Every structure is written in structure tokens, then in C-alpha cells.
């Protein structure tokens, strides 16, 4: 979108020298106190900047509808807000020294360019509901990407499961060779795990997709705000109705989303461990593509699975996120507290971590090679012991007698396995039920209406 040239340069200059704190009256804050209380907001709030602008466009539209802004004022605010949005997209938006956070920066920019009109936009709003709405919009967008990435990895896993469904590998209990498994089962197991994780993501998305705007400082406003209107403009499913509850959602929303991310992370870290182990020479079940391994500075033969190790560590750290957030917010009563700001330090970067891990995992799963000759190694012969017991039982020998006979044969070294398996029930080697698993995943994914949210944001941006 073309940036409009502002005809208000005189106003801009007049307001250039204004105070940078929204609340500054006639005392100046101690610089050390400011540094401590602002914390990492100037850096982290950049992630919220786009959403602060979108929220402000919706809020000002609503202010006009209740007579607190004229049409001309609203149009000039929208024009400047869209300019600011373009600046953010270009990577040129900064939160200046002396400005506390993104909310103050956007208001400062509006006031520099529009004078008194800029100063009107905060009517009926507090930074408390402003940051709430920013976080909801940010999280909603990030969750859409996480869900799509989870579905991408799911598709890759199902494809590998189908492709290698005939190839057996040993299953383990206690890390001891146990019973036949297959690559169909192994890949498919992680796919089904992601289908369950998607349920958490959906719940988190739905809880997040409710409008807190209009709760102001946490107790509403004496202006006749039209919250239904901002809910529709922002494409939320509904609002957080009770204004006290809307404010209580700060921290709660992040915690619940963190639980969903932790669920995905749990799937990834387990898969990463399996992959590292199966890739080791002692197992040799899978081979990572050479381009996905790293070397050693001293041992020339090494092709290390560092990518899965980093993924495991990051995903294990992500599983601590709900607990970290809980520890920050747990002992707070209702109402806003600055403690809540600290949650952003842990919560905002989590999305980049999980998305990166998902994209790495998908890339490698699509390219991983499986060993088709595993069973030629006699050390895995005993995994067919139960098959043999069941075969004898089917021929009429009581199960306990068959069990004993096979056990004694193994001890005597006379056990020779039949290496074919006959598993036919649902979810077993011969009947993976990938179709059913896919249905669960797609139903959950499709129940979320991402398009409505995206359309609403684009409309507010005039695109
Ligand atoms: N940076 C603040 C936060 O993240 C914005 C809200 C400030 N509100 C206040 N009452 N001091 O919580």
C-alpha cells in the first residue's frame, strides 16, 4: 500500500518535543527505575506492534460509531495507523528510548502527526486491555501457523508410514527387544500423537479467540463502548464478556496456549530421541540424510544427529513453559499487575522455537532413510517369540504350555523364528488405521475458522 504523505508537518514538529510517557505529569521517573520496569518491552513489544495497530483501527472505528471521534478524525487516524503498519512490515518501526512500550510508541506517533486527534484514541481504553488484545491477536496468528506446521509434519509422517508399512523393526520394552513393530507403526504413532496435540491447539485457539477490548483497566468504562462491534471488526468468535474476567485472562490464556505448545513439544522430543537412537550405529534402523548431520572437529567419521538433539532440548524446555508461566502468575489476585509483563519474555519467543522445530522435523522426516534389512540380524530373532507362542496356541496348545515351550527352546538355542507377522486388528502392523487417524486430525483442524480472523484483519488494514 502506498504511504500517504502527511500534510500535517507543522503539527508533527509541534508535537515532536512532547513527553514520551503516557502517564508523565510533573515528576520525572528515576532512569534506573525506568530501565527496570520497562525491562525487555522495547524489544519484545515489536512482535506485538502489528496487532497494536490493528486493535487501534478497530477501537477508533468503534469510537466514531459512539460519537467520540468525527469521521474526519477517524479517517486520518486510520490513514496514519496504516502507515505505521507499513513501517512495521518494512522492519523500520522502533520503540524509541524513553518510550515505555509499543502502545505508547503508536500513540506518540499518532499524536506527533495528528495532534489532538492522536490524543483522543485512548478514550475508553487502557493499556491493560490494549496489551490483552495485542496478545490475543498475536497468539491467534501464531497458533494458525503452528497448527499448519503440525499438520504438515503429520502429513509427512502418514506418508512415510504408508510407504514403509511392510518394513519391520524390533519393538522394545525396557529397551529390551520385545515384539515386532514396523516403520508403518513408528511413523504413524507420532502422527496420531500430533492428532491429539491438535485437540489442545484447538482448545487453546478457541479460548484465545475472544475479545477483551473494552475491559479497559479491568473494570470497563463509563463511555457507551460497543464491544460487539469491536468483536466483529477484529474477527473474534465472541468476547470475554465479564470485564474482570477479561483482565484475568492475562496469563491464563498464555498458560493454556503454553500447555498446547508443550503437548506438541512432548511429541517432538520423544520422536527426536527415537530418531537419535535409531540412527546410532548400535541400532542402525534409520539414516539421516548426510546434509542433515553435523561433523566432529576431531573424529573424521562422525555424522551426528545434532538437529534432533537441539530439537529435543528446545522441546523439553518448551514443556517447562506452562509451569514457568504458572509460577509468575499463580499467586496474583484478580486485577492487573505489572508481573504479567514478564510472561511476555517467555511466551512470545516460544512460537519461533516450536515452529522452527516443526519445520526441521518435517524436513528430515520427509528425507529419512529406513533400513529394510534389520531382521537379517539374529540378535532380533527373539522378537518373534510371542508370534510362535500364539501360533502354537492357535493350533490348540494351551497358551501357558506354548509360552513355556518357546521359552525353553530359546534358552536351549533351538528357537528358529518364522519371520512373518499376522497382526490384523485395528491399529496393528497389518491394519494401521491411518485413514481413521487422518480423519481425526483433519476434523479437528478444519473446525477452526482461520479465514474469518484473517479476513477481518485485512479489512481493517484496508487491503
Ligand atoms: N507493558 C505493560 C504490560 O505488558 C503494558 C500494560 C501497562 N499497564 C500498566 N497499568 N502499567 O503489562
Amino acid at each position: 500500500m502506498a504511504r500517504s504523505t502527511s500534510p500535517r508537518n507543522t503539527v508533527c514538529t509541534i508535537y515532536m518535543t512532547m513527553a514520551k510517557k503516557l502517564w508523565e505529569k510533573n515528576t520525572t521517573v528515576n532512569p534506573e527505575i525506568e530501565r527496570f520496569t520497562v525491562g525487555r518491552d522495547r524489544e519484545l513489544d515489536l512482535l506485538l506492534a502489528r496487532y497494536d495497530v490493528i486493535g487501534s483501527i478497530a477501537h477508533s472505528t468503534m469510537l466514531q460509531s459512539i460519537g467520540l471521534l468525527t469521521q474526519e478524525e477517524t479517517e486520518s487516524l486510520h490513514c496514519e495507523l496504516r502507515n505505521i503498519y507499513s513501517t512495521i512490515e518494512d522492519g523500520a518501526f522502533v520503540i524509541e528510548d524513553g518510550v515505555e512500550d509499543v502502545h505508547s510508541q503508536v500513540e506518540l506517533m499518532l499524536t506527533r502527526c495528528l495532534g489532538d486527534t492522536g490524543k483522543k484514541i485512548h478514550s475508553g481504553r487502557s493499556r491493560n486491555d490494549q496489551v490483552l488484545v495485542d496478545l490475543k491477536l498475536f497468539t491467534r496468528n501464531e497458533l494458525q501457523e503452528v497448527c499448519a506446521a503440525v499438520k504438515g509434519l503429520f502429513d509427512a509422517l502418514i506418508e512415510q508410514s504408508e510407504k514403509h508399512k511392510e518394513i519391520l523393526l524390533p519393538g522394545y520394552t525396557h529397551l529390551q527387544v520385545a515384539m515386532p513393530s514396523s516403520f508403518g507403526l513408528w511413523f504413524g504413532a507420532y502422527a496420531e500423537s500430533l492428532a491429539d496435540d491438535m485437540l489442545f491447539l484447538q482448545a487453546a485457539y478457541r479460548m484465545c479467540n475472544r475479545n477483551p477490548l473494552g475491559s479497559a483497566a479491568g473494570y470497563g468504562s463509563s463511555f457507551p463502548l460497543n464491544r460487539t462491534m469491536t468483536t466483529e471488526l477484529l474477527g473474534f468468535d465472541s468476547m470475554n464478556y465479564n470485564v474482570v474476567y477479561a483482565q484475568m485472562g492475562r496469563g491464563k490464556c498464555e498458560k493454556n496456549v503454553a500447555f498446547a505448545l508443550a503437548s506438541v513439544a512432548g511429541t517432538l522430543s520423544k520422536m527426536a530421541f527415537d530418531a537419535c537412537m535409531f540412527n546410532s550405529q548400535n541400532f542402525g534402523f534409520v539414516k539421516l540424510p548426510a546434509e542433515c548431520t553435523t561433523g566432529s572437529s576431531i573424529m573424521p567419521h562422525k555424522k551426528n544427529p545434532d538437529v534432533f538433539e537441539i530439537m529435543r532440548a528446545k522441546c523439553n524446555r518448551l514443556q517447562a513453559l506452562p509451569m514457568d508461566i504458572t509460577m509468575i502468575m499463580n499467586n496474583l489476585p484478580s486485577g492487573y499487575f505489572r508481573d504479567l509483563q514478564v510472561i511476555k519474555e517467555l511466551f512470545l519467543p516460544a512460537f519461533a522455537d516450536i515452529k522452527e522445530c516443526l519445520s526441521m522435523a518435517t524436513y528430515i522426516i520427509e528425507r529419512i532413510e529406513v533400513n529394510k534389512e534389520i531382521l537379517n540380524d539374529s540378535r532380533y530373532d527373539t522378537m518373534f517369540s510371542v508370534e510362535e507362542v500364539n501360533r502354537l496356541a492357535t493350533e490348540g496348545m494351551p497358551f501357558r504350555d506354548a509360552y513355556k515351550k518357546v521359552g525353553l527352546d530359546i534358552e536351549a538355542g533351538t528357537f528358529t523364528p518364522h519371520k512373518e507377522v499376522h497382526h490384523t486388528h485395528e491399529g496393528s502392523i497389518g491394519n494401521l488405521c491411518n485413514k481413521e487417524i487422518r480423519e481425526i486430525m483433519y476434523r479437528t483442524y478444519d473446525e477452526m475458522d482461520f479465514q474469518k480472523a484473517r479476513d477481518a484483519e485485512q479489512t481493517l488494514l484496508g487491503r
Side-chain angles (χ1 to χ4, degrees), residues 23 41 45 100-101 103 126-128 131 135 250 336-338 340-342 344:
W23 42 267
D41 262 15
D45 275 11
E100 280 194 304
D101 49 31
H103 328 295
S126 153
R127 280 183 297 166
N128 294 357
V131 64
L135 281 166
R250 182 91 186 266
Y336 175 83
F337 295 93
R338 197 73 179 265
L340 299 165
Q341 173 177 298
V342 178
K344 289 190 291 191

Side-chain angles (χ1 to χ4, degrees), residues 72-192:
E72 198 199 335
E73 285 170 333
T74 311
E75 279 167 10
S76 58
L77 279 167
H78 287 186
C79 178
E80 284 306 326
L81 283 164
R82 287 169 187 159
N83 284 344
I84 295 172
Y85 194 90
S86 305
T87 314
I88 298 164
E89 282 182 314
D90 296 347
F93 178 88
V94 285
I95 300 173
E96 299 163 30
D97 284 348
V99 176
E100 280 194 304
D101 49 31
V102 67
H103 328 295
S104 314
Q105 180 68 36
V106 171
E107 187 174 321
L108 180 68
M109 289 165 87
L110 291 174
T111 306
R112 274 182 189 156
C113 281
L114 303 175
D116 287 347
T117 304
K119 291 197 212 162
K120 289 185 182 178
I121 197 170
H122 210 54
S123 314
R125 177 171 87 168
S126 153
R127 280 183 297 166
N128 294 357
D129 65 337
Q130 205 175 343
V131 64
L132 271 168
V133 85
D134 291 6
L135 281 166
K136 297 261 200 168
L137 295 176
F138 167 85
T139 305
R140 180 170 89 174
N141 276 272
E142 290 295 325
L143 280 178
Q144 290 176 10
E145 288 184 21
V146 172
C147 288
V150 166
K151 191 158 73 71
L153 175 58
F154 175 89
D155 289 339
L157 286 163
I158 290 286
E159 197 178 324
Q160 293 288 40
S161 169
E162 284 296 315
K163 186 165 159 200
H164 302 300
K165 65 177 165 204
E166 308 294 346
I167 303 172
L168 298 183
L169 82 161
Y172 292 82
T173 65
H174 314 267
L175 265 188
Q176 308 280 311
V177 171
M179 284 185 63
S181 181
S182 71
F183 281 107
L185 277 180
W186 186 68
F187 286 114
Y190 286 104
E192 189 171 351

Side-chain angles (χ1 to χ4, degrees), residues 251-271:
K252 175 172 175 168
C253 175
E254 293 96 307
K255 185 178 67 175
N256 288 330
V257 171
F259 271 117
L261 300 185
S263 191
V264 177
T267 301
L268 289 185
S269 67
K270 194 179 278 290
M271 186 177 83

